[in-house]
Amino acid sequence: MRNSNNTGEDRNKDASSLSTTLDSRFNQTLRNVQGTLYILKMHRLLKGRSFPGKVLITRRSEPLDQSVLYSPNTGRRYSDTDFEQGQQVEISTENELQNRSNTNASSSVSHATMGTETMSKEIQKYSAGARATDSARLMKFTKELSGVTVILEKLRELAWSGVPPYLRPTVWRLLLGYAPSNSDRREGILRRKRLEYLDCVAQYYDIPDRERTDEEINMLRQISVDCPRTVPDVSFFQQVEVQKSLERILYTWAIRHPASGYVQGINDLVTPFVVVFLSEHLEGSVDTWSMADLSPETISDVEADCYWCLSKLLDSMHDHYTFAQPGIQRLVFKLKEVVRRIDEPVSRHMEEQGLEFLQFAFRWFNCLLIREIPFHLVTRLWDTYLAEGDALPDFLVYIFASFLLTWSDQLRKLEFQEMVMYLQHLPTQKWSHVELEMVLSQAYMWHTMFNNSPSHLAG
Amino acid sequence: MGAYRADDDYDYLFKVVLIGDSGVGKSNLLSRFTRNEFSLESKSTIGVEFATRSIRVDDKVVKAQIWDTAGQERYRAITSAYYRGAVGALLVYDVTRHVTFENVERWLKELRDHTDASIVIMLVGNKADLRHLRAVSTEDATAFAEKENTFFMETSALESMNVENAFTEVLTQIHRVVSRKALEANDDPATLPKGQTINVGSKDDVSAVKKSGCCST
């Protein structure tokens, strides 16, 4: 896989010719071809062979997050039925294609540098297609983002309850401190950071194996084993180009963070950034996205944003991925304590059954709950994470306590083995924003109670 | 042998661990054995996962409590805690990736450092259906297993080849160890084979496990 990757050459291609907008019908065709190729690949793998029992290849085609669905350029919201088609992207209508070609010209608007005027237009469009109650929130976001200097505290407060999808890339970059709050400096700094990432990739990734240490070869091997099985139930992540991007981001991050290096599960943590930063360049449902629609420059910029944002996120959890992962162990212990104070009966039951929190909560902390909820809800969850900033690790304890105790009644009826299995496969498949926001609100409440009065819940 | 049984109806509960390099197919071996499922889209295992299945061995019902562990070396600090109390292990490599076979030796050491000497170990060469991609010969693996005194089988979780056999063989062998231990407990301790102390999976331990529902702490 690595060998076929020739990014260096790609990058040298004439930038202007690549930025030319491709005909959207052509793009759609490419998308169809890719979808079909995937199906063909599966067919070839399985053709003429019969396998015993169940062989699971069906993709979960859940309705995707409204966030990703909303198309800022047309103000059109793709209906749920669009997404439920999942793999059947090839049946999109003429009408839809027409819409896409009409809007394509403006699809490269960079929200990072969006002016107030554009912004208010966006809002009109957004509110046209969205619930009227959203418009007040949107106005607040616009106000915060339009100043010369964004006041991060205010932005955090707003973002905590969810960020409008088309503002998400801009807001996330600001919340993580990747983009500076001063708008005059923003574009220049992002440009510099993106170039810096390119240099890193050239220096660490685009080199022959003989220039790597054995340890580095092992790490690259581990990453290349994990990339193809990153969010495998979302077909977009099965595209080879996406997996190559993941590999470059992860390897470059790992090399530059030798104290931890790559740890399985960090691959999951890049995925929310990938879908959010790509949403600035690709329209519609994630299931219909194709990397072939993007120029190498765009891919490289998106990768850079993912890389820097991942770095910023993990900076606040520096000992979560170092040897023996002490940061995670500490938080798992805290979680157990908090749960004991909030829900003594369930806590006692778990203890009596010999259940260890590490047996289920380790993965929660390691992958920040990505594995436990439907992928289309992850970006909403991350709005709150990123709004918490440096306080996130502590707040995670309350979110996870709240998440765990959602099933308090069920857990009390289960014995050890059933309980471990239940906790490792929690029934969140049908969850919507409602359930998720319930968890977050409850967490907020407990956090406030507990922090203001540590003994309040004791006894 | 091999019939699915009700969960709470068993004579013995044996803890078994699945170990080996990342991506060799441990999780699919487990899902094939416990649920008769194989997934082409499985994710990497983070920390440990868990499943059970009961089978009949001789005239007893044996419940296997199987802990599936993350393969990345970095996780060993976490996962080795789960070796405690294990009476059986499937040490898996991928027949198409030689490096995963080379690492078997380190896994074996890891296992022997953390478990009782009487643990039943089965070396498992998975993905045997990928014949054209084979990188580890059956002969090499057999020789290695003989040298290290472990059992050996090649499997395919995809084609469900030997999966049942591999787990059943491990559980049967564990049962044998336990029965021998029970027998010897009635004899003069001096007649115990020299250098062997079998202190896991005894009948008393197992019934204790049955009451509390857990043996992992």
Side-chain angles (χ1 to χ4, degrees):
Chain A
M1 191 164 82
R2 265 178 270 141
N3 299 338
S4 62
N5 166 33
N6 205 349
T7 45
E9 193 176 299
D10 287 346
R11 273 185 220 111
N12 294 335
K13 284 181 189 168
D14 182 9
S16 61
S17 78
L18 287 160
S19 62
T20 312
T21 315
L22 290 166
D23 176 58
S24 74
R25 274 167 199 257
F26 177 63
N27 293 346
Q28 184 60 37
T29 314
L30 271 179
R31 245 176 247 131
N32 296 349
V33 168
Q34 292 216 334
T36 317
L37 276 181
Y38 174 77
I39 292 159
L40 283 177
K41 192 177 91 187
M42 283 305 162
H43 269 279
R44 200 170 48 214
L45 181 62
L46 301 173
K47 193 180 150 195
R49 307 173 70 180
S50 65
F51 300 105
K54 246 193 263 178
V55 174
L56 309 172
I57 53 163
T58 45
R59 294 186 184 287
R60 193 171 55 180
S61 55
E62 58 208 10
L64 286 174
D65 187 357
Q66 294 289 332
S67 55
V68 194
L69 312 186
Y70 174 71
S71 157
N73 300 306
T74 58
R76 169 171 183 242
R77 263 170 188 269
Y78 291 80
S79 70
D80 279 355
T81 45
D82 282 344
F83 310 112
E84 279 157 12
Q85 284 172 4
Q87 283 300 308
Q88 308 167 347
V89 286
E90 52 273 77
I91 357 179
S92 50
T93 62
E94 271 302 300
N95 189 21
E96 191 170 331
L97 292 178
Q98 198 59 45
N99 270 342
R100 289 209 176 117
S101 41
N102 288 342
T103 60
N104 217 306
S106 60
S107 69
S108 56
V109 170
S110 163
H111 297 292
T113 55
M114 192 190 281
T116 322
E117 201 191 332
T118 332
M119 202 91 89
S120 54
K121 273 185 201 156
E122 293 288 350
I123 286 168
Q124 284 169 11
K125 289 171 189 167
Y126 183 82
S127 15
R131 286 169 297 160
T133 47
D134 289 345
S135 60
R137 270 180 63 70
L138 276 169
M139 285 308 290
K140 286 186 190 163
F141 268 105
T142 322
K143 190 164 158 276
E144 288 312 321
L145 293 172
S146 58
V148 177
T149 303
V150 173
I151 301 160
L152 282 179
E153 274 322 297
K154 287 192 176 167
L155 188 61
R156 284 189 198 289
E157 209 178 307
L158 277 175
W160 201 96
S161 313
V163 180
Y166 77 94
L167 293 177
R168 199 169 260 147
T170 307
V171 172
W172 281 20
R173 278 191 284 257
L174 284 162
L175 290 177
L176 282 161
Y178 167 46
S181 50
N182 183 312
S183 63
D184 294 339
R185 296 167 55 226
R186 204 168 295 153
E187 210 178 337
I189 285 188
L190 290 184
R191 199 182 310 121
R192 191 167 57 75
K193 285 291 198 183
R194 287 165 182 165
L195 284 173
E196 193 181 331
Y197 169 75
L198 263 184
D199 284 345
C200 288
V201 172
Q203 187 183 344
Y204 301 116
Y205 181 85
D206 291 332
I207 58 169
D209 272 357
R210 66 186 140 78
E211 287 175 29
R212 300 184 212 275
T213 65
D214 285 352
E215 207 178 317
E216 288 165 358
I217 287 175
N218 263 336
M219 196 159 67
L220 187 53
R221 189 186 294 133
Q222 181 66 63
I223 291 169
S224 68
V225 165
D226 286 350
C227 286
R229 42 183 192 163
T230 302
V231 205
D233 39 6
V234 174
S235 60
F236 173 70
F237 285 98
Q238 290 296 305
Q239 292 178 27
V240 175
E241 286 301 325
V242 180
Q243 293 174 4
K244 272 190 205 157
S245 285
L246 287 176
E247 193 172 300
R248 281 189 290 267
I249 296 166
L250 289 168
Y251 184 74
T252 307
W253 184 85
I255 288 281
R256 304 242 301 172
H257 295 80
S260 56
Y262 173 72
V263 177
Q264 289 189 302
I266 295 181
N267 56 328
D268 290 70
L269 302 184
V270 195
T271 59
F273 296 124
V274 172
V275 293
V276 164
F277 295 130
L278 277 175
S279 74
E280 289 182 296
H281 307 279
L282 294 166
E283 286 177 50
S285 149
V286 173
D287 282 339
T288 66
W289 285 1
S290 166
M291 292 289 269
D293 292 355
L294 301 171
S295 69
E297 284 73 17
T298 303
I299 293 176
S300 166
D301 285 354
V302 168
E303 265 180 41
D305 288 7
C306 294
Y307 169 82
W308 290 113
C309 287
L310 177 73
S311 302
K312 292 281 186 185
L313 175 74
L314 295 182
D315 280 351
S316 67
M317 305 183 234
H318 64 278
D319 61 350
H320 285 212
Y321 302 97
T322 51
F323 182 76
Q325 304 184 253
I328 291 185
Q329 307 237 28
R330 197 174 55 237
L331 292 184
V332 170
F333 181 79
K334 267 189 87 174
L335 174 65
K336 189 179 170 184
E337 281 306 293
V338 167
V339 168
R340 188 174 60 80
R341 290 179 178 216
I342 295 170
D343 191 336
E344 212 274 327
V346 91
S347 169
R348 188 160 14 102
H349 175 69
M350 289 165 84
E351 190 141 358
E352 280 167 6
Q353 289 297 315
L355 188 88
E356 293 276 335
F357 273 59
L358 213 50
Q359 286 160 353
F360 60 92
F362 182 82
R363 186 171 75 194
W364 297 6
F365 284 103
N366 196 79
C367 300
L368 300 181
L369 230 53
I370 290 182
R371 297 277 185 107
E372 324 305 322
I373 60 171
F375 190 69
H376 69 94
L377 294 179
V378 168
T379 46
R380 167 62 194 90
L381 174 63
W382 281 46
D383 289 339
T384 303
Y385 283 178
L386 304 187
E388 283 288 328
D390 288 342
L392 176 62
D394 270 344
F395 193 67
L396 283 176
V397 171
Y398 291 89
I399 297 181
F400 295 178
S402 171
F403 183 66
L404 173 69
L405 293 174
T406 305
W407 291 280
S408 176
D409 292 346
Q410 290 89 327
L411 293 174
R412 286 167 68 174
K413 294 178 201 139
L414 300 174
E415 292 193 345
F416 173 75
Q417 303 190 8
E418 290 69 36
M419 194 149 46
V420 180
M421 286 190 275
Y422 188 77
L423 285 167
Q424 289 186 344
H425 307 95
L426 286 165
T428 59
Q429 298 80 2
K430 298 241 154 58
W431 270 28
S432 68
H433 284 80
V434 178
E435 288 83 359
L436 179 62
E437 299 205 350
M438 197 70 92
V439 166
L440 294 174
S441 308
Q442 186 65 262
Y444 181 81
M445 205 187 79
W446 283 334
H447 182 250
T448 311
M449 284 166 75
F450 197 83
N451 265 18
N452 291 346
S453 163
S455 59
H456 181 79
L457 295 160
Chain B
M1 212 181 270
Y4 294 86
R5 296 273 302 224
D7 236 22
D8 48 352
D9 181 19
Y10 56 86
D11 300 301
Y12 292 102
L13 177 62
F14 294 149
K15 178 173 169 181
V16 174
V17 290
L18 267 167
I19 59 169
D21 274 12
S22 193
V24 297
K26 297 181 292 294
S27 300
N28 268 320
L29 283 168
L30 179 63
S31 67
R32 178 60 87 187
F33 179 63
T34 58
R35 301 193 300 276
N36 196 21
E37 281 177 13
F38 179 92
S39 173
L40 287 168
E41 296 161 2
S42 55
K43 301 173 185 174
S44 61
T45 304
I46 304 296
V48 290
E49 285 184 30
F50 173 89
T52 65
R53 190 184 143 188
S54 295
I55 64 165
R56 185 167 278 280
V57 174
D58 301 331
D59 57 341
K60 301 290 185 199
V61 176
V62 165
K63 181 168 186 169
Q65 187 188 75
I66 308 160
W67 292 89
D68 176 21
T69 61
Q72 189 182 12
E73 184 165 356
R74 281 295 309 282
Y75 274 115
R76 288 188 203 176
I78 309 284
T79 54
S80 59
Y82 292 88
Y83 297 170
R84 195 144 50 106
V87 289
L90 280 85
L91 201 178
V92 189
Y93 67 92
D94 173 351
V95 299
T96 70
R97 285 194 296 144
H98 200 267
V99 65
T100 65
F101 179 66
E102 288 158 32
N103 286 334
V104 162
E105 209 155 345
R106 283 154 75 190
W107 283 109
L108 212 50
K109 184 178 182 318
E110 180 86 2
L111 203 55
R112 287 179 171 150
D113 284 352
H114 290 91
T115 59
D116 189 87
S118 65
I119 189 170
V120 174
I121 303 170
M122 163 92 58
L123 180 66
V124 174
N126 192 39
K127 307 195 188 178
D129 55 290
L130 299 171
R131 288 159 199 98
H132 55 300
L133 296 173
R134 179 183 279 275
V136 182
S137 73
T138 310
E139 294 71 36
D140 285 357
T142 310
F144 181 84
E146 268 169 23
K147 188 184 81 173
E148 295 292 341
N149 205 17
T150 71
F151 296 91
F152 169 63
M153 249 180 223
E154 287 190 347
T155 60
S156 161
L158 177 68
E159 292 182 344
S160 197
M161 182 195 94
N162 262 350
V163 177
E164 189 82 13
N165 288 344
F167 280 97
T168 305
E169 182 64 18
V170 167
L171 295 171
T172 306
Q173 293 299 336
I174 296 169
H175 181 237
R176 235 166 250 176
V177 171
V178 170
S179 309
R180 196 166 64 220
K181 168 79 204 295
L183 209 65
E184 284 158 357
N186 297 326
D187 291 344
D188 181 356
T191 63
L192 274 168
K194 71 170 178 208
Q196 273 200 40
T197 350
I198 301 165
N199 59 9
V200 285
S202 79
K203 204 149 191 186
D204 287 347
D205 289 348
V206 170
S207 49
V209 159
K210 203 169 169 178
K211 267 180 227 142
S212 77
C214 171
C215 65
S216 62
T217 51

